[in-house]
Amino acid sequence: MKRPKILAALLVCVSLAGAPIMPTHAAINSMTLGASYNAQKTSITFRVYSSQATRMMLYLYASGYGVQDSANYVLSSVGDGVWSVTVPVSSIQAAGITGSVYYGYRAWGPNWPYSASWGKGSAAGFISDVDASGNRFNPNKLLLDPYAQEMSQDPLNASNQNADIFASGASYRNTDSGTYASKGIVLVPSTQSTGTKPTRAQKDDVIYEVNVRGLTEQDSSITAAYRGTYRGAGLKAAALASLGITAVEFLPMQETQNDANDVAPNSDANQNYWGYMTEDYFAPDRHYAYNKAAGGPTAEFQAMVQAFHNAGIKVYMDVVYNHTSEGGTWSSSDPTTATITSWRGLDNTTYYELTSGNQYYYDNTGIGANYNTYNTVAQNLIVDSLAYWTNTMGVDGFRFDLAAVLGNSCLNGSYTSAAPNCPNGGYNFDAADSNVAINRILSEFTVRPAAGGSGLDLYAEPWAIGGNSYQLGGFPKGWSEWNGSFRDSLRQAQNELGNMTISISQDANDFSGSSNLFQASGRTPWNSTNFIDVHDGLTLNDVYACNGSSNAQAWPYGPSDGGTTTNYSWDQGMSAGTGTALDQRRAARTGMAFEMLSAGTPLMQGGDEYLRTLQCNNNAYNLDSTANWLTNTWSTNQSNFYTFAQRLIAFREAHPALRPATWYTSNQVAWYQPSGAAATSSYWNNTSNYSIAYTINGSSFGDANSIYIAYNGWSGSVTFTLPAPPTGTNWYRVTDTCNWNDGANTFVTPGNESLIGGSGTTYSQCGQSLLLLISK
């Protein structure tokens, strides 16, 4: 994830005097936070947490935007930091609220104690915007319940573009946000089914990463009204199953600041397409719902999950528990001004990691403030949210954005016994600490067993920003990780020949599951999530068609800011006049073959199956545009690549030898030099060697065929001498990614493989390509 500039205005660390109450966890939502009807639906109980508040009031509304409250109630402190009030439905109706109930809170505390003379927009009782203990209470800011199951609208939307309304500080503190603020919606439990969850082993999955809106927004096969919605996404289940996808991983679907995306048409202004600025960890994003009525987004999300489950496809969510949409202070020199929409106004010291002095925030996210993942109550919210999405909404697994922050063992700015590794506060990743969030998640949930069954699939993006936050390979058993090393080393092998040292031994390690990263911690090849590209960076096509990034383009391909400068991309000599589009397609076929033929769990980005391009934009977070949406109108070459991808995925599914549950042994995999001789240590260690071949003994996996894979990383042709296939068989070609084989049948269907020969047969393989043979 890269930092979106678009939210800077809105979203632009504790010697805890009066330390927050942090009860030990005992059950999912053990404090029963949130708003819920009683069984008879005659009353609603509202419960919210704040360890430092001195007064809390509930405000009820008849609609979510543009109206004053219809009623308000004082909450009582009921212990353990929980504030509660139960309101009869009859009283709510008498106040004029006869439909859905919208609500928010106002809170007072040490920096702004309650005064009986206070009124909306008043400074009565004010002492400071932030006090020495880090409190930031401001009763002029209506606060969203962190446990709200749906919310009314984003702070910025078609009707309001003024972020100042939600700010603290001298210029903004007395501006009342009540009519503009996001409200929670009290829901009656949905009766919509989410279907039967697939129990497939993770090693057998092929993951497809995509944005909900982008999946169908310009898909002519979907009814126009359903495009870009959960309902539309569910209608694509059969098509994704036909491609061979077994798990769809959606970019963030929890409420995020994206209601303003369409305010300025055909412009990147105020757009947040990826969705990494979470406003509510329980609510499905209303922007993606066809049915936007109260309860509609929840039921529609559940129906989408059911549609995927009916097609045998798991549903994964990309979740962002490392920061929130409130961000940090608007300025590094002014601690007083910050956005207050929810957590910050309820309990700043609980939900955020404060620097020494408690005026500012630690930031390992690039967004301004670390979520306080070592705090028990803040952890509770993470766990309770995951449980809700799993049990109520039907989700099968999660990808955790900047998950290294969830391994942070620092609590706040000064030394505490709870965080002994952080005498100065800050950031310290510690997978051995049972109290860090990544271990709390393991203790609260069942991880899917290796052989399949019920449980969650957990994927970490194993890095953040600064400190010791790059933790690829450092997560505990139970976690899988996005393997950035796989991406980088194989891109280097294809695109950096002559520019940097290429290690064929590293490539071999990537092909066989990255044991150097995962074996020592007791994990397995399938804990390596293998990808060549994802949303954050160049598309598959652009990895092999671009000499670096080009983000300063006109709409719809830009402009975007940020993005890495380390792309390991190359246009295959096209701009120099030495390469062609054929070379680019050959390189893309080879790259996709790497991720689908390697041991591990393959992850592809939506659109890779037809060579989608963003014209070299590698950070298109802000482009809710035709360029970023998928399309089903393809050229012949794109259709041919789709066929290649579909057959490649089917081959992986058909051959368990490619999906090992444990590490390959020397009896299962043999490595060869191009000459056919065994690859020795001298061969592995010679950085002038760019080609490698290996066989996988199919019989040891119950596979009817053994497999031979040869990769020629050299620029010119290399002749491979084939080893002996199993007795009574010969080698047959399934695919050769070389230019000569470009077309509709680059990858042949079962039974149509070409005979190549037996032991000692030679095969001339073009440069920068991959050969796949089977024995039969």
Side-chain angles (χ1 to χ4, degrees):
M1 184 207 72
K2 296 294 185 295
R3 182 178 189 268
K5 67 173 181 178
I6 57 174
L7 305 173
L10 176 65
L11 315 164
V12 145
C13 249
V14 132
S15 54
L16 295 175
I21 302 164
M22 297 196 301
T24 57
H25 62 279
I28 298 301
N29 198 4
S30 59
M31 294 186 283
T32 59
L33 299 177
S36 58
Y37 285 93
N38 65 352
Q40 296 76 30
K41 298 184 178 62
T42 58
S43 66
I44 304 174
T45 297
F46 299 84
R47 289 169 63 90
V48 65
Y49 179 88
S50 178
S51 66
Q52 299 296 307
T54 55
R55 182 179 176 89
M56 189 80 65
M57 288 190 67
L58 167 72
Y59 283 68
L60 301 181
Y61 298 80
S63 65
Y65 183 85
V67 301
Q68 295 292 336
D69 56 285
S70 299
N72 58 75
Y73 301 87
V74 177
L75 283 79
S76 299
S77 176
V78 295
D80 290 334
V82 176
W83 297 77
S84 179
V85 65
T86 297
V87 183
V89 169
S90 58
S91 298
I92 296 173
Q93 292 174 340
I97 303 174
T98 57
S100 299
V101 179
Y102 297 83
Y103 72 102
Y105 297 106
R106 297 181 190 266
W108 290 257
N111 67 298
W112 196 322
Y114 175 72
S115 169
S117 63
W118 176 86
K120 298 172 188 173
S122 165
F126 171 78
I127 297 175
S128 63
D129 290 297
V130 54
D131 66 15
S133 295
N135 294 301
R136 291 179 179 267
F137 292 99
N138 183 333
N140 291 318
K141 310 303 175 181
L142 189 78
L143 306 173
L144 178 69
D145 180 0
Y147 278 72
Q149 293 177 356
E150 281 188 9
M151 56 180 265
S152 56
Q153 78 283 325
D154 295 341
L156 298 185
N157 53 70
S159 299
N160 174 51
Q161 293 293 292
N162 185 2
D164 296 350
I165 291 169
F166 310 101
S168 60
S171 300
Y172 317 110
R173 75 172 68 97
N174 295 336
T175 301
D176 187 76
S177 69
T179 60
Y180 304 93
S182 307
K183 280 81 171 178
I185 306 175
V186 186
L187 296 185
V188 175
S190 170
T191 58
Q192 168 65 49
S193 172
T194 60
T196 302
K197 291 187 174 186
T199 57
R200 183 185 309 103
Q202 185 183 310
K203 71 180 182 65
D204 298 328
D205 279 323
V206 175
I207 306 171
Y208 189 86
E209 185 206 39
V210 72
N211 180 283
V212 173
R213 180 168 165 92
L215 178 59
T216 63
E217 182 63 25
Q218 60 181 346
D219 189 329
S220 60
S221 71
I222 302 296
T223 300
Y226 302 153
R227 294 174 193 166
T229 69
Y230 301 122
R231 185 165 182 174
L235 295 174
K236 294 294 291 185
L240 291 181
S242 177
L243 176 58
I245 300 305
T246 66
V248 58
E249 178 181 303
F250 286 111
L251 269 64
M253 294 185 289
Q254 295 163 326
E255 278 281 12
T256 190
Q257 177 60 63
N258 59 8
D259 280 359
N261 281 20
D262 298 326
V263 171
N266 302 321
S267 167
D268 67 323
N270 295 325
Q271 290 204 353
N272 174 21
Y273 179 66
W274 287 351
Y276 290 95
M277 296 300 284
T278 309
E279 297 167 337
D280 185 314
Y281 288 119
F282 291 80
D285 195 330
R286 185 170 301 271
H287 191 64
Y288 298 144
Y290 164 70
N291 179 5
K292 291 181 170 61
T298 297
E300 188 176 327
F301 184 101
Q302 292 170 320
M304 175 192 73
V305 171
Q306 182 182 41
F308 280 108
H309 284 171
N310 289 347
I313 296 175
K314 298 176 183 175
V315 175
Y316 295 156
M317 285 179 63
D318 195 331
V319 288
V320 189
Y321 295 114
N322 58 81
H323 70 274
T324 78
S325 61
E326 289 181 316
T329 57
W330 286 19
S331 166
S332 60
S333 60
D334 172 19
T336 67
T337 306
T339 298
I340 301 178
T341 57
S342 181
W343 309 272
R344 178 167 289 128
L346 286 168
D347 199 334
N348 188 52
T349 64
T350 287
Y351 288 114
Y352 295 107
E353 187 190 1
L354 310 182
T355 61
S356 181
N358 306 319
Q359 304 298 288
Y360 294 97
Y361 301 89
Y362 281 104
D363 178 21
N364 295 95
T365 71
I367 305 300
N370 288 357
Y371 187 76
N372 199 5
T373 63
Y374 202 66
N375 179 288
T376 304
V377 170
Q379 274 187 14
N380 288 347
L381 185 146
I382 295 173
V383 168
D384 296 344
S385 166
L386 293 172
Y388 179 75
W389 289 102
T390 301
N391 300 329
T392 300
M393 305 298 273
V395 171
D396 303 282
F398 301 91
R399 179 266 188 187
F400 293 78
D401 178 66
L402 300 185
V405 174
L406 278 71
N408 187 8
S409 65
C410 300
L411 186 64
N412 268 309
S414 63
Y415 177 88
T416 69
S417 60
N421 295 317
C422 301
N424 299 310
Y427 178 86
N428 183 69
F429 183 88
D430 187 358
D433 186 339
S434 62
N435 294 314
V436 296
I438 56 174
N439 285 323
R440 170 82 184 276
I441 290 168
L442 292 177
S443 71
E444 298 281 5
F445 299 99
T446 299
V447 178
R448 195 181 313 279
S454 61
L456 287 177
D457 300 322
L458 301 177
Y459 297 88
E461 181 184 39
W463 47 77
I465 297 172
N468 64 335
S469 64
Y470 189 83
Q471 289 294 328
L472 177 58
F475 279 66
K477 186 175 181 179
W479 283 90
S480 297
E481 300 177 35
W482 275 24
N483 191 343
S485 176
F486 180 98
R487 170 199 61 203
D488 292 348
S489 61
L490 291 175
R491 283 192 189 186
Q492 290 165 11
Q494 288 187 272
N495 293 334
E496 298 294 338
L497 186 67
N499 296 327
M500 60 188 302
T501 299
I502 307 299
S503 170
I504 198 66
S505 61
Q506 176 62 49
D507 297 338
N509 185 68
D510 293 331
F511 296 151
S512 54
S514 300
S515 59
N516 63 318
L517 294 173
F518 302 108
Q519 189 169 18
S521 58
R523 289 183 287 170
T524 57
W526 48 267
N527 291 124
S528 174
T529 309
N530 297 335
F531 62 98
I532 295 295
D533 69 296
V534 287
H535 73 276
D536 193 351
L538 297 170
T539 66
L540 181 75
N541 178 85
D542 292 355
V543 168
Y544 306 108
C546 301
N547 293 324
S549 60
S550 177
N551 296 352
Q553 302 181 57
W555 181 268
Y557 289 96
S560 302
D561 65 351
T564 182
T565 58
T566 308
N567 295 285
Y568 305 122
S569 63
W570 178 42
D571 72 355
Q572 313 305 307
M574 176 79 87
S575 60
T578 59
T580 68
L582 271 174
D583 295 311
Q584 293 176 350
R585 292 197 295 274
R586 179 251 308 147
R589 288 193 294 266
T590 303
M592 179 166 276
F594 285 162
E595 63 189 9
M596 294 301 167
L597 298 178
S598 296
T601 304
L603 166 69
M604 64 182 290
Q605 183 181 179
D608 283 352
E609 70 273 21
Y610 65 86
L611 292 177
R612 166 178 170 257
T613 180
L614 277 168
Q615 294 188 171
C616 309
N617 189 326
N618 75 343
N619 199 40
Y621 68 89
N622 61 330
L623 302 181
D624 197 348
S625 74
T626 55
N628 232 351
W629 306 331
L630 306 193
T631 178
N632 62 339
T633 303
W634 304 333
S635 68
T636 297
N637 287 327
Q638 288 177 310
S639 295
N640 288 343
F641 196 87
Y642 176 90
T643 299
F644 173 84
Q646 183 184 48
R647 293 176 180 179
L648 174 62
I649 295 169
F651 184 86
R652 178 180 180 85
E653 180 182 5
H655 293 279
L658 297 172
R659 313 189 309 275
T662 56
W663 300 101
Y664 285 132
T665 67
S666 58
N667 292 326
Q668 293 172 328
V669 171
W671 299 93
Y672 299 96
Q673 303 175 41
S675 67
T680 61
S681 59
S682 61
Y683 186 83
W684 291 124
N685 296 332
N686 186 339
T687 56
S688 295
N689 292 327
Y690 304 113
S691 301
I692 194 68
Y694 59 105
T695 58
I696 309 175
N697 180 359
S699 63
S700 61
F701 296 93
D703 196 324
N705 311 102
S706 286
I707 297 170
Y708 175 87
I709 297 171
Y711 170 59
N712 175 18
W714 183 241
S715 57
S717 296
V718 167
T719 298
F720 287 87
T721 300
L722 304 184
T727 302
T729 67
N730 281 299
W731 293 116
Y732 286 74
R733 185 178 61 231
V734 179
T735 193
D736 180 335
T737 63
C738 286
N739 292 11
W740 69 265
N741 201 24
D742 186 74
N745 288 299
T746 303
F747 202 108
V748 300
T749 54
N752 291 306
E753 302 90 353
S754 298
L755 174 64
I756 301 301
S759 177
T761 300
T762 58
Y763 190 100
S764 180
Q765 185 69 12
C766 75
Q768 295 282 288
S769 67
L770 182 142
L771 171 68
L772 171 64
L773 309 177
I774 59 170
S775 66
K776 66 174 193 174

